[in-house]
Amino acid sequence: MKKIEIFDPAMCCSTGVCGPAIDRELMRFATTVNALKEKGIDVSRHGLSSEPQDFIANKAVNELLQKEGVAVLPITLVGGEVAKTKEYPTNEELAK
């Protein structure tokens, strides 16, 4: 099974429940990622505010950021290849 990596924009938390309003899409995604991890799927998330070095070290992510800026985030890599940008994958996309 291929590794899934998500490069998140800068935010205070990855769950979507902090701040003045709940981000339902972020909450859905965080819940889905946790379910995938419980099933033994290799999924990792990298936060721009907490792990900026990961964004620099990954060539594909770094190039996209240089070309399009932070508006390209989130970026999803599957097996090291860019699978989706600018929004989180749907549950159906993750199932594939």
Side-chain angles (χ1 to χ4, degrees):
M1 178 141 315
K2 295 180 180 178
K3 180 178 182 173
I4 300 170
E5 291 182 275
I6 295 87
F7 290 81
D8 290 306
M11 56 188 163
C12 59
C13 71
S14 62
T15 62
V17 297
C18 57
I22 293 174
D23 183 333
R24 294 189 189 282
E25 174 62 4
L26 195 52
M27 190 165 46
R28 174 203 63 85
F29 188 69
T31 301
T32 303
V33 166
N34 285 339
L36 291 172
K37 286 180 179 181
E38 287 176 6
K39 292 182 179 183
I41 297 170
D42 189 2
V43 181
S44 62
R45 292 178 75 181
H46 308 274
L48 182 58
S49 55
S50 59
E51 302 164 303
Q53 201 61 30
D54 292 351
F55 290 71
I56 295 166
N58 185 291
K59 184 179 179 182
V61 171
N62 192 349
E63 286 177 1
L64 280 169
L65 283 169
Q66 293 295 322
K67 182 179 177 185
E68 298 184 42
V70 294
V72 74
L73 298 173
I75 299 169
T76 302
L77 303 181
V78 178
E81 300 293 322
V82 176
K84 190 164 190 169
T85 63
K86 300 182 182 175
E87 59 185 21
Y88 291 103
T90 64
N91 291 354
E92 292 79 21
E93 289 171 328
L94 287 168
K96 290 178 185 179

